[in-house]
Amino acid sequence: MTFIIFTNVAIFIVLLAFLYILNKKHVKFSNRVFAGLGLGILFGLVLQVIFGATSDIIAGSVAWFNIVGTGYVKLLQMVAMPLVFISILSAFSKLKLGSNLGKIAGLILLLLIGTTAIASTVGIISATLFDLDASQLVHGEEERERGATLEEKVTEVSTLPEQIVELIPANPFLDLTGARSTSTIAVVIFAAFLGFSYLRIVRKERETSKTIKKAIDGIYSLIMGVVTIVLRLTPYGIMAIMARTVATSDFGAIYNLGKFVIASYIALITVFIIHLIIILLSGLSPIIYIKKAMETLLFAFTSRSSAGTLPLNLKTQVERFGVPEGIANFASSFGLSIGQNGCAGVYPAMLAIMIAPTVGIDPLDIRFIITVIVVVAISSFGVAGVGGGATFAAIIVLSALDLPVALAGVLISVEPLIDMGRTALNVSGSMVAGITTSRITGEINKDVYNNPKMKELGES
């Protein structure tokens, strides 16, 4: 068995070497990303067919693949919190942004929360059309264990007033480590306080403010330099992640829960189409949006991490869509923990409609539907932008609606597959918020947006 594992690892290394050769031959970054995606899917399928998803050989091989795949995501997460902090602080140092700060922040929040409310409505409609009922789903041992675990987590969920208090950073240095589920929004709040302090200094101590601005700009450039270095590893990371995902997917469980998977993706695709309509109503081309956002959404899809996608999100908004850095910083940072359309919108709403019949609630009762939409929108604050954010959001919503949380555990087998689409939708929502806000305020660079040539995200 050990020999077979090392043979698989050797093949994996050869594939990595092939991507490296493409890099040396100066093949476009985007083409290398798609090459990594294709190689990962193909290699994963071969391993799945030969050895089966649950074999020890697959487990042993994937452990080695994770050095590249999980390692890459961790590198992106490493830079995510410092990037959130310096991005928000940098936004305040942009003098042009200062006068419109309240309007910009308000528009971004309105778009994020508004699209989440729309996403929850779409989730409700999809669950209703497919007649999803949690009591009809297959219950396995693993699902029951997951359900019991979720029930235990209910005690960790705070009331709404307590959740709001949790957003306030008592120890910003602890939050910079990402120790709490609300750490991201707490870091945003801390950076905002420093930003307002900077604006006071600008008015009262001009020379001091210039020194502070130079320091902020210097740190921002340093962090973005690290981001660029890490992004160059994207083709290798995507290949490793996809090889692992495909090789370990339980296609039998996906088949058994196929109706839920299909209903979920129809809802996610519908919300994405709504994103495109918003772009169109803003007077911009949705086709250009799809073309230029594809790499970033693809990485979000494969990595299942909104936080890990933050650097790509930010660079895409600024370099490809012509969104001012300040607005892009706010939209991408806020989008990590507020108004996640997929994880905090579609998913909790679908679960609520599925589980309601098990406790005698009519899921078509208009009062119940309105309650679900309102609760989902309010609860979308502070959802973590890493793996597990959707589960956290679901627990909050189901608890607030007094619905049994344990039934959500039956979906554990298809969680990874659905989470891929949810994460991509989360990231799309934050990019649309940034683009639309900059369009409304008249600060978007339309020449950059409409330029068919795209700057490679892996370039400095």
Side-chain angles (χ1 to χ4, degrees), residues 282-302:
S282 299
L284 300 170
S285 168
I287 302 300
I288 291 177
Y289 173 77
I290 293 173
K291 182 180 178 182
K292 293 189 173 183
M294 185 56 66
E295 284 173 49
T296 302
L297 297 180
L298 177 64
F299 176 73
F301 184 84
T302 54

mmCIF file of all heavy atoms in Angstrom, residues 282-302:
data_model
loop_
_atom_site.group_PDB
_atom_site.id
_atom_site.type_symbol
_atom_site.label_atom_id
_atom_site.label_comp_id
_atom_site.label_asym_id
_atom_site.label_seq_id
_atom_site.Cartn_x
_atom_site.Cartn_y
_atom_site.Cartn_z
ATOM 1 N N SER A 282 -26.682 48.729 -13.326
ATOM 2 C CA SER A 282 -25.694 49.757 -12.996
ATOM 3 C C SER A 282 -25.094 50.381 -14.250
ATOM 4 O O SER A 282 -24.242 51.278 -14.156
ATOM 5 C CB SER A 282 -24.567 49.157 -12.141
ATOM 6 O OG SER A 282 -25.073 48.638 -10.929
ATOM 7 N N GLY A 283 -25.505 49.877 -15.406
ATOM 8 C CA GLY A 283 -25.001 50.412 -16.661
ATOM 9 C C GLY A 283 -23.694 49.795 -17.107
ATOM 10 O O GLY A 283 -22.971 50.363 -17.931
ATOM 11 N N LEU A 284 -23.374 48.616 -16.572
ATOM 12 C CA LEU A 284 -22.132 47.925 -16.904
ATOM 13 C C LEU A 284 -22.441 46.577 -17.546
ATOM 14 O O LEU A 284 -23.558 46.062 -17.420
ATOM 15 C CB LEU A 284 -21.279 47.730 -15.645
ATOM 16 C CG LEU A 284 -20.870 49.020 -14.921
ATOM 17 C CD1 LEU A 284 -20.246 48.697 -13.567
ATOM 18 C CD2 LEU A 284 -19.905 49.841 -15.771
ATOM 19 N N SER A 285 -21.458 46.010 -18.213
ATOM 20 C CA SER A 285 -21.666 44.749 -18.929
ATOM 21 C C SER A 285 -21.519 43.531 -18.018
ATOM 22 O O SER A 285 -20.447 43.332 -17.429
ATOM 23 C CB SER A 285 -20.653 44.629 -20.076
ATOM 24 O OG SER A 285 -20.651 43.322 -20.607
ATOM 25 N N PRO A 286 -22.561 42.708 -17.888
ATOM 26 C CA PRO A 286 -22.452 41.486 -17.084
ATOM 27 C C PRO A 286 -21.525 40.454 -17.738
ATOM 28 O O PRO A 286 -20.935 39.638 -17.050
ATOM 29 C CB PRO A 286 -23.893 40.976 -17.010
ATOM 30 C CG PRO A 286 -24.598 41.611 -18.161
ATOM 31 C CD PRO A 286 -23.927 42.923 -18.386
ATOM 32 N N ILE A 287 -21.399 40.518 -19.068
ATOM 33 C CA ILE A 287 -20.502 39.592 -19.766
ATOM 34 C C ILE A 287 -19.058 39.859 -19.366
ATOM 35 O O ILE A 287 -18.279 38.936 -19.095
ATOM 36 C CB ILE A 287 -20.665 39.722 -21.301
ATOM 37 C CG1 ILE A 287 -22.111 39.464 -21.715
ATOM 38 C CG2 ILE A 287 -19.711 38.758 -22.001
ATOM 39 C CD1 ILE A 287 -22.621 38.090 -21.357
ATOM 40 N N ILE A 288 -18.699 41.140 -19.322
ATOM 41 C CA ILE A 288 -17.344 41.515 -18.890
ATOM 42 C C ILE A 288 -17.132 41.096 -17.442
ATOM 43 O O ILE A 288 -16.052 40.620 -17.074
ATOM 44 C CB ILE A 288 -17.129 43.035 -19.052
ATOM 45 C CG1 ILE A 288 -17.082 43.394 -20.541
ATOM 46 C CG2 ILE A 288 -15.847 43.488 -18.353
ATOM 47 C CD1 ILE A 288 -16.944 44.881 -20.804
ATOM 48 N N TYR A 289 -18.173 41.253 -16.620
ATOM 49 C CA TYR A 289 -18.065 40.847 -15.210
ATOM 50 C C TYR A 289 -17.735 39.368 -15.104
ATOM 51 O O TYR A 289 -16.825 38.971 -14.368
ATOM 52 C CB TYR A 289 -19.366 41.148 -14.458
ATOM 53 C CG TYR A 289 -19.374 40.598 -13.054
ATOM 54 C CD1 TYR A 289 -18.667 41.231 -12.041
ATOM 55 C CD2 TYR A 289 -20.046 39.407 -12.756
ATOM 56 C CE1 TYR A 289 -18.644 40.703 -10.757
ATOM 57 C CE2 TYR A 289 -20.026 38.884 -11.484
ATOM 58 C CZ TYR A 289 -19.327 39.525 -10.482
ATOM 59 O OH TYR A 289 -19.283 39.000 -9.220
ATOM 60 N N ILE A 290 -18.459 38.541 -15.837
ATOM 61 C CA ILE A 290 -18.221 37.094 -15.790
ATOM 62 C C ILE A 290 -16.793 36.768 -16.227
ATOM 63 O O ILE A 290 -16.081 35.994 -15.565
ATOM 64 C CB ILE A 290 -19.230 36.343 -16.687
ATOM 65 C CG1 ILE A 290 -20.644 36.479 -16.123
ATOM 66 C CG2 ILE A 290 -18.850 34.865 -16.803
ATOM 67 C CD1 ILE A 290 -21.716 35.905 -17.031
ATOM 68 N N LYS A 291 -16.371 37.366 -17.330
ATOM 69 C CA LYS A 291 -15.049 37.082 -17.883
ATOM 70 C C LYS A 291 -13.937 37.452 -16.904
ATOM 71 O O LYS A 291 -13.001 36.674 -16.677
ATOM 72 C CB LYS A 291 -14.874 37.844 -19.193
ATOM 73 C CG LYS A 291 -13.540 37.589 -19.880
ATOM 74 C CD LYS A 291 -13.435 38.379 -21.180
ATOM 75 C CE LYS A 291 -12.075 38.151 -21.834
ATOM 76 N NZ LYS A 291 -11.939 38.952 -23.089
ATOM 77 N N LYS A 292 -14.051 38.639 -16.300
ATOM 78 C CA LYS A 292 -12.974 39.123 -15.444
ATOM 79 C C LYS A 292 -13.025 38.561 -14.031
ATOM 80 O O LYS A 292 -12.007 38.518 -13.336
ATOM 81 C CB LYS A 292 -12.994 40.652 -15.398
ATOM 82 C CG LYS A 292 -12.637 41.299 -16.728
ATOM 83 C CD LYS A 292 -12.464 42.805 -16.587
ATOM 84 C CE LYS A 292 -11.941 43.410 -17.894
ATOM 85 N NZ LYS A 292 -11.687 44.858 -17.769
ATOM 86 N N ALA A 293 -14.202 38.129 -13.598
ATOM 87 C CA ALA A 293 -14.338 37.584 -12.237
ATOM 88 C C ALA A 293 -14.112 36.080 -12.189
ATOM 89 O O ALA A 293 -13.986 35.502 -11.102
ATOM 90 C CB ALA A 293 -15.723 37.910 -11.679
ATOM 91 N N MET A 294 -14.054 35.424 -13.347
ATOM 92 C CA MET A 294 -14.067 33.968 -13.400
ATOM 93 C C MET A 294 -12.949 33.322 -12.584
ATOM 94 O O MET A 294 -13.189 32.370 -11.833
ATOM 95 C CB MET A 294 -13.983 33.494 -14.860
ATOM 96 C CG MET A 294 -14.122 31.988 -15.025
ATOM 97 S SD MET A 294 -15.668 31.358 -14.296
ATOM 98 C CE MET A 294 -16.879 32.137 -15.352
ATOM 99 N N GLU A 295 -11.715 33.828 -12.701
ATOM 100 C CA GLU A 295 -10.605 33.212 -11.970
ATOM 101 C C GLU A 295 -10.827 33.282 -10.464
ATOM 102 O O GLU A 295 -10.599 32.308 -9.742
ATOM 103 C CB GLU A 295 -9.293 33.908 -12.321
ATOM 104 C CG GLU A 295 -8.731 33.537 -13.676
ATOM 105 C CD GLU A 295 -7.528 34.387 -14.009
ATOM 106 O OE1 GLU A 295 -6.634 34.501 -13.156
ATOM 107 O OE2 GLU A 295 -7.489 34.952 -15.114
ATOM 108 N N THR A 296 -11.261 34.450 -9.996
ATOM 109 C CA THR A 296 -11.489 34.633 -8.561
ATOM 110 C C THR A 296 -12.618 33.736 -8.064
ATOM 111 O O THR A 296 -12.502 33.098 -7.009
ATOM 112 C CB THR A 296 -11.816 36.109 -8.264
ATOM 113 O OG1 THR A 296 -10.735 36.924 -8.714
ATOM 114 C CG2 THR A 296 -12.022 36.337 -6.775
ATOM 115 N N LEU A 297 -13.714 33.669 -8.824
ATOM 116 C CA LEU A 297 -14.840 32.818 -8.435
ATOM 117 C C LEU A 297 -14.455 31.344 -8.509
ATOM 118 O O LEU A 297 -14.906 30.534 -7.686
ATOM 119 C CB LEU A 297 -16.044 33.093 -9.345
ATOM 120 C CG LEU A 297 -16.619 34.512 -9.287
ATOM 121 C CD1 LEU A 297 -17.810 34.642 -10.227
ATOM 122 C CD2 LEU A 297 -17.015 34.879 -7.863
ATOM 123 N N LEU A 298 -13.612 30.994 -9.458
ATOM 124 C CA LEU A 298 -13.137 29.623 -9.579
ATOM 125 C C LEU A 298 -12.321 29.226 -8.361
ATOM 126 O O LEU A 298 -12.486 28.129 -7.815
ATOM 127 C CB LEU A 298 -12.297 29.462 -10.851
ATOM 128 C CG LEU A 298 -11.662 28.092 -11.085
ATOM 129 C CD1 LEU A 298 -12.742 27.037 -11.272
ATOM 130 C CD2 LEU A 298 -10.749 28.140 -12.309
ATOM 131 N N PHE A 299 -11.450 30.150 -7.906
ATOM 132 C CA PHE A 299 -10.674 29.823 -6.714
ATOM 133 C C PHE A 299 -11.569 29.711 -5.489
ATOM 134 O O PHE A 299 -11.397 28.811 -4.649
ATOM 135 C CB PHE A 299 -9.582 30.864 -6.454
ATOM 136 C CG PHE A 299 -8.838 30.579 -5.181
ATOM 137 C CD1 PHE A 299 -7.941 29.524 -5.123
ATOM 138 C CD2 PHE A 299 -9.097 31.299 -4.036
ATOM 139 C CE1 PHE A 299 -7.304 29.218 -3.942
ATOM 140 C CE2 PHE A 299 -8.462 31.002 -2.847
ATOM 141 C CZ PHE A 299 -7.551 29.951 -2.798
ATOM 142 N N ALA A 300 -12.548 30.624 -5.361
ATOM 143 C CA ALA A 300 -13.491 30.545 -4.234
ATOM 144 C C ALA A 300 -14.218 29.210 -4.263
ATOM 145 O O ALA A 300 -14.432 28.578 -3.221
ATOM 146 C CB ALA A 300 -14.488 31.699 -4.304
ATOM 147 N N PHE A 301 -14.598 28.774 -5.465
ATOM 148 C CA PHE A 301 -15.313 27.506 -5.639
ATOM 149 C C PHE A 301 -14.464 26.324 -5.176
ATOM 150 O O PHE A 301 -14.948 25.438 -4.463
ATOM 151 C CB PHE A 301 -15.677 27.356 -7.117
ATOM 152 C CG PHE A 301 -16.512 26.139 -7.432
ATOM 153 C CD1 PHE A 301 -17.890 26.169 -7.281
ATOM 154 C CD2 PHE A 301 -15.928 24.970 -7.882
ATOM 155 C CE1 PHE A 301 -18.672 25.059 -7.581
ATOM 156 C CE2 PHE A 301 -16.688 23.851 -8.182
ATOM 157 C CZ PHE A 301 -18.068 23.899 -8.033
ATOM 158 N N THR A 302 -13.204 26.298 -5.563
ATOM 159 C CA THR A 302 -12.355 25.150 -5.233
ATOM 160 C C THR A 302 -11.874 25.178 -3.782
ATOM 161 O O THR A 302 -11.794 24.147 -3.132
ATOM 162 C CB THR A 302 -11.130 25.103 -6.161
ATOM 163 O OG1 THR A 302 -10.441 26.345 -6.113
ATOM 164 C CG2 THR A 302 -11.540 24.813 -7.584
#
